[in-house]
Amino acid sequence: MNLDAAKQTFLEEARELLEDMERILLDVEATETTDEQLNALFRAMHTIKGSAGLFGMDEIVHFTHEAENVVDLLRGGHLALSEDLSGLLLRCHDHVKAMLAVVDDKAMQQEMLQTSLLDELRQYAQPAASEELASSSQASAPEQGGLRDWVMSLRFNEDVLRNGMDPSAFFRYLRLLGEFLVVQPVLCRLPHAERFDPESCYLRFELLFSSDASQQMLLDVFEFVREDSQIHIFPVGEAATHWPQLIADADEAEQAAVRQAWHALGLDPEAPACVAAQPEPAAPAAQTVDKASEKADKPATSAAEAKPPRASESRFIKVEAAKLDSLINLIGELVIAGAAANLMARRSAQSALVESTIAIANLIEQIRAGTLSMRMVQIGEIFSRFPRVVRDVSKELGKSIQLNVSGADTELDKSMVDKLGDPLMHIVRNAMDHGIESSEARLAAGKPAEGNVWLNAYHESGSVVIEVADDGAGLRKDKILAKAVANGLVPADSVMPDGDIYKLIFEPGFSTAEQVTNISGRGVGMDVVRRSIEQLRGTIDIDSAVGEGTTFRIRLPLTLAIIDGFLVSVGNATFVIPLETVIECIELPADALQGDAHNCLNLRGEVLPLLGLNRFLELGQPHAKRQNVVVVRYGDSKAGLVVDELLGEFQTVIKPLGNLFRHLRAISGSTILGSGEVALILDVPSLIHFATSQEAERFASHAEHAQQRGGHGNH
């Protein structure tokens, strides 16, 4: 473990603590505050401050110290968590997050320290601290300024430097908490020059320290070394009690050196009650201001007792995403190689070899499924960002909006989760700005004054569906269509289905907003939303009702890496259909695609639109005497894809198409077969949309002709 790795670990843990802090602050705005929540807030600020001090990030230490003071007064009951104070702490959260983002830029850190947030924090802290001091003075006669003298015995592990820790960093941080009265190094462990290792730590320190911090706060300074070092901190009055512990593992030379160091501190280890050279205050040590100090007065018997065990350490490990991506790519190549080996085994007609390749293929399938499951994360990782967004935007707009989240435990590929944040952000912000009405308008329309935004996720037919809904004014089709005609997007006399009209809002620069705000209204963003979703091989649909609200429905595949496919042939070409979209396969009736009347099939009383891939892809006439229909479904729509041959299931490693083919609507990717040939992966949602829209247009055309013939007959 080197210092850079330790710093990276600190940054990751600090971000997690800040996420917890934001969540708690948003929770306490909606409900009553609890002691547990306030303690968690304090731990977040205190841990970040302490860890930053170890790495010499003095600017972060200074800022978090001020925030920690305010949170400490909150948990002590000397401040109430008002809406204004909660907003201030949220802004402090943002500021610490920004400081961590530029942690290597010292000049920027200094500049960010010059912030008005510090003055606001002090305005809260100083009156409350004065009130706390006055009340504690009336209750008892405490030590002057709350200061106490502590004995510290620090015997660092020999490998502390190799583990990336610098003992001097602990002393720099302690200076922020109090004053060193006497420091005595114990040098008896230093070896001779020929045996001296510059990477080993041979130091031990006995020191007298004055501070108003509690014992637990002082122990927390050594959080990263307490497990493998001997750290003892106790009040001066309890020194004799702890003396046997300090010398338990020391040889005679070290015992003598420590005893000599204690004499230099003004302590007598053999006395019934050790007394420091400096006069002690008359008040007993047990009388302290806060409960944390009362607990801190208990002797710290060992580092293990002072620190709670980490039960979850052995259950989870962190792995870099790049390493996991590399592993999945290798498994993809393994799938292709396995398919090639299986093909060669079948051609050889050796039954033992075929059985072996089948067993290997089964193991590869299990490895593939297990590895892909490791890259699946809960979509709540994204949803957790939005309570803060809804809070801030609703206050900026002057609206009362409640966020409702469900399905946060739905799992999705990590690579897709990372790319979903911005599209969802655009949709949610537009829902709050354009969808939800003002409280006055809602009351006038007979609605509750508080609007609602829903975030929901669930699995459906091998896909993940994410819904963003609101109970606002809804989309007005006439207004959208008029704007589209004015912009030249559609003809003035066009008749379009509702869904196609709603999708016009995804056109670049399209906006029906009468007023541009800081949130939206410039016609920028919704086109980016659609493009981002399509890059993830997904679709986005809109349902809306005037006066009731709007729902954006995003459908995404579970993963972008490896899928189960269904292999078919059309002409001389081979295609892959994602297996999750396949419902069944049937033989095509001989007269199903004859004539121009309707390209559809009566499937057990259900009208199924058909799409002949040989015609659609211009591959010529079918070679096979018998054709087959693969019935596919995406969402609520079904269609039948007419193919020549059914070749069976196939593990499909998705290879992206080049930029030259990125506009193809019928093809979503490619894969390599066991024979080394390339097969294209069909874009089922686009094919279903084309088949159903073609059938709808054909039906409307025939209905119009029939109506015209009826009109001529009446004449």
Side-chain angles (χ1 to χ4, degrees):
M1 176 179 176
N2 55 35
L3 194 58
D4 290 337
K7 182 187 289 187
Q8 189 60 38
T9 300
F10 155 65
L11 292 175
E12 291 175 4
E13 292 181 351
R15 293 187 187 101
E16 292 175 1
L17 288 168
L18 288 174
E19 289 177 5
D20 292 340
M21 177 182 178
E22 183 181 57
R23 176 181 50 78
I24 292 169
L25 286 170
L26 293 172
D27 286 345
V28 299
E29 280 192 347
T31 59
E32 293 279 338
T33 56
T34 64
D35 291 341
E36 183 180 351
Q37 289 173 322
L38 295 178
N39 287 331
L41 283 178
F42 179 80
R43 283 195 301 271
M45 281 291 98
H46 180 70
T47 304
I48 292 174
K49 183 184 80 169
S51 302
L54 295 179
F55 295 102
M57 303 173 188
D58 297 335
E59 294 79 15
I60 294 179
V61 170
H62 184 75
F63 184 85
T64 51
H65 180 68
E66 298 292 342
E68 180 190 39
N69 288 340
V70 172
V71 179
D72 193 28
L73 292 168
L74 270 174
R75 68 174 188 157
H78 304 286
L79 277 177
L81 188 60
S82 63
E83 185 175 342
D84 291 340
L85 180 53
S86 176
L88 172 60
L89 291 175
L90 282 170
R91 283 184 283 131
C92 290
H93 158 279
D94 297 340
H95 197 72
V96 174
K97 192 174 183 180
M99 294 181 80
L100 290 170
V102 292
V103 74
D104 294 323
D105 190 338
K106 201 70 173 177
M108 180 62 73
Q109 291 271 327
Q110 290 282 357
E111 183 179 337
M112 295 182 72
L113 195 56
Q114 310 304 317
T115 173
S116 60
L117 290 174
L118 290 174
D119 294 331
E120 294 184 55
L121 289 169
R122 289 169 187 143
Q123 287 174 7
Y124 277 99
Q126 289 170 357
S130 301
E131 179 184 345
E132 177 188 9
L133 184 60
S135 61
S136 60
S137 298
Q138 294 173 4
S140 63
E143 299 172 344
Q144 183 179 358
L147 293 174
R148 299 187 65 189
D149 290 345
W150 301 89
V151 178
M152 293 188 178
S153 179
L154 311 177
R155 190 175 192 254
F156 294 105
N157 183 272
E158 193 168 305
D159 293 327
V160 68
L161 295 173
R162 295 187 184 93
N163 293 336
M165 294 291 118
D166 180 6
S168 64
F170 299 104
F171 287 85
R172 288 197 300 270
Y173 181 63
L174 283 172
R175 288 172 57 188
L176 301 173
L177 300 180
E179 179 185 0
F180 291 101
L181 302 178
V182 186
V183 178
Q184 283 294 316
V186 178
L187 306 177
C188 61
R189 297 169 61 204
L190 281 173
H192 293 292
E194 61 272 11
R195 292 188 291 110
F196 184 84
D197 183 356
E199 292 186 354
S200 297
C201 178
Y202 305 103
L203 296 177
R204 174 171 182 164
F205 296 94
E206 306 295 318
L207 54 96
L208 207 59
F209 186 72
S210 178
S211 174
D212 60 356
S214 68
Q215 185 181 35
Q216 188 60 49
M217 289 178 65
L218 296 176
L219 284 168
D220 287 344
V221 172
F222 303 93
E223 175 77 15
F224 292 109
V225 295
R226 275 163 51 191
E227 288 186 349
D228 51 10
S229 299
Q230 295 182 24
I231 308 297
H232 300 274
I233 302 174
F234 42 84
V236 168
E238 299 176 2
T241 307
H242 291 270
W243 172 253
Q245 287 180 288
L246 302 187
I247 60 173
D249 298 331
D251 55 25
E252 291 184 4
E254 187 174 353
Q255 290 182 22
V258 174
R259 181 178 284 104
Q260 184 178 355
W262 271 41
H263 288 151
L265 298 181
L267 301 174
D268 183 3
E270 274 76 26
C274 288
V275 180
Q278 298 179 359
E280 285 291 306
Q287 294 181 0
T288 55
V289 177
D290 52 53
K291 294 181 181 179
S293 297
E294 292 176 5
K295 295 178 182 178
D297 287 341
K298 297 179 182 178
T301 56
S302 68
E305 291 178 7
K307 182 177 180 180
R310 297 180 181 178
S312 61
E313 277 188 339
S314 61
R315 297 172 58 190
F316 297 98
I317 59 171
K318 291 185 178 180
V319 180
E320 290 182 20
K323 291 182 179 179
L324 198 54
D325 292 342
S326 176
L327 176 61
I328 289 175
N329 289 335
L330 289 174
I331 290 174
E333 298 302 320
L334 183 62
V335 168
I336 295 172
N342 189 31
L343 180 63
M344 293 177 64
R346 283 190 280 114
R347 287 176 177 174
S348 70
Q350 298 181 35
S351 58
L353 184 59
V354 171
E355 289 180 6
S356 297
T357 55
I358 291 175
I360 292 173
N362 289 334
L363 290 173
I364 292 175
E365 166 66 15
Q366 294 178 41
I367 294 172
R368 176 188 75 93
T371 308
L372 287 178
S373 68
M374 287 193 291
R375 207 166 71 167
M376 303 294 279
V377 298
Q378 293 186 352
I379 203 168
E381 184 177 313
I382 298 180
F383 285 1
S384 62
R385 306 177 190 175
F386 289 99
R388 175 70 184 280
V389 174
V390 172
R391 174 197 180 275
D392 292 347
V393 173
S394 61
K395 288 184 181 299
E396 182 177 346
L397 295 173
K399 298 178 180 179
S400 178
I401 302 174
Q402 175 68 36
L403 177 66
N404 306 278
V405 176
S406 58
D409 56 349
T410 304
E411 291 189 334
L412 190 61
D413 194 300
K414 170 69 174 173
S415 62
M416 301 178 73
V417 168
D418 293 339
K419 298 173 183 176
L420 268 177
D422 289 342
L424 286 177
M425 185 71 70
H426 278 295
I427 296 174
V428 170
R429 288 165 70 92
N430 273 277
M432 290 188 288
D433 193 10
H434 299 313
I436 303 293
E437 315 95 325
S438 65
S439 298
E440 295 78 10
R442 292 179 64 85
L443 291 172
K447 296 181 177 181
E450 184 178 67
N452 287 279
V453 173
W454 288 273
L455 276 174
N456 183 29
Y458 55 91
H459 287 118
E460 182 182 87
S461 303
S463 302
V464 172
V465 181
I466 303 170
E467 293 180 342
V468 181
D470 65 74
D471 62 351
L475 297 175
R476 290 182 52 184
K477 293 181 293 183
D478 55 343
K479 198 172 181 180
I480 295 173
L481 197 55
K483 186 70 174 181
V485 171
N487 289 357
L489 296 174
V490 295
D493 58 347
S494 62
V495 178
M496 302 171 63
D498 291 353
D500 292 344
I501 294 176
Y502 296 144
K503 287 185 178 181
L504 289 171
I505 68 174
F506 294 116
E507 295 297 324
F510 190 93
S511 177
T512 60
E514 298 174 357
Q515 183 179 1
V516 175
T517 68
N518 293 331
I519 308 301
S520 58
R522 300 181 186 274
V524 178
M526 296 307 286
D527 60 318
V528 178
V529 168
R530 180 174 64 179
R531 190 160 60 247
S532 300
I533 298 302
E534 289 175 350
Q535 287 174 352
L536 296 174
R537 296 194 297 114
T539 61
I540 181 167
D541 298 304
I542 304 174
D543 291 330
S544 185
V546 176
E548 296 181 12
T550 304
T551 300
F552 288 81
R553 190 171 291 107
I554 300 171
R555 296 182 188 274
L556 296 166
L558 285 175
T559 180
L560 297 176
I562 306 173
I563 62 170
D564 290 319
F566 189 74
L567 214 58
V568 299
S569 70
V570 182
N572 294 323
T574 305
F575 298 93
V576 176
I577 303 173
L579 187 62
E580 71 229 8
T581 65
V582 177
I583 302 175
E584 60 180 314
C585 300
I586 60 175
E587 183 178 350
L588 179 70
D591 58 346
L593 290 178
Q594 303 297 323
D596 299 330
H598 296 288
N599 283 346
C600 59
L601 184 68
N602 184 350
L603 182 64
R604 294 184 291 276
E606 180 182 2
V607 177
L608 181 73
L610 295 179
L611 182 64
L613 292 183
N614 56 342
R615 294 183 186 177
F616 179 75
L617 299 174
E618 299 181 0
L619 297 175
Q621 293 299 318
H623 296 173
K625 295 181 180 179
R626 189 190 77 172
Q627 288 187 288
N628 301 278
V629 177
V630 181
V631 182
V632 292
R633 177 176 61 193
Y634 189 76
D636 297 328
S637 301
K638 287 184 183 179
L641 304 181
V642 182
V643 302
D644 292 348
E645 290 185 76
L646 307 175
L647 303 179
E649 296 183 18
F650 178 73
Q651 287 187 49
T652 305
V653 181
I654 301 174
K655 302 290 184 181
L657 296 172
N659 291 333
L660 183 63
F661 306 102
R662 67 180 183 273
H663 296 300
L664 289 178
R665 299 290 297 170
I667 307 297
S668 62
S670 62
T671 189
I672 300 175
L673 303 177
S675 61
E677 298 176 352
V678 175
L680 297 176
I681 303 171
L682 295 176
D683 185 358
V684 171
S686 296
L687 294 175
I688 291 178
H689 178 74
F690 179 82
T692 53
S693 60
Q694 286 290 102
E695 186 59 26
E697 290 177 8
R698 190 179 291 110
F699 179 82
S701 175
H702 279 278
E704 183 179 354
H705 290 160
Q707 187 176 6
Q708 290 176 355
R709 287 196 300 271
H712 290 309
N714 292 335
H715 287 299

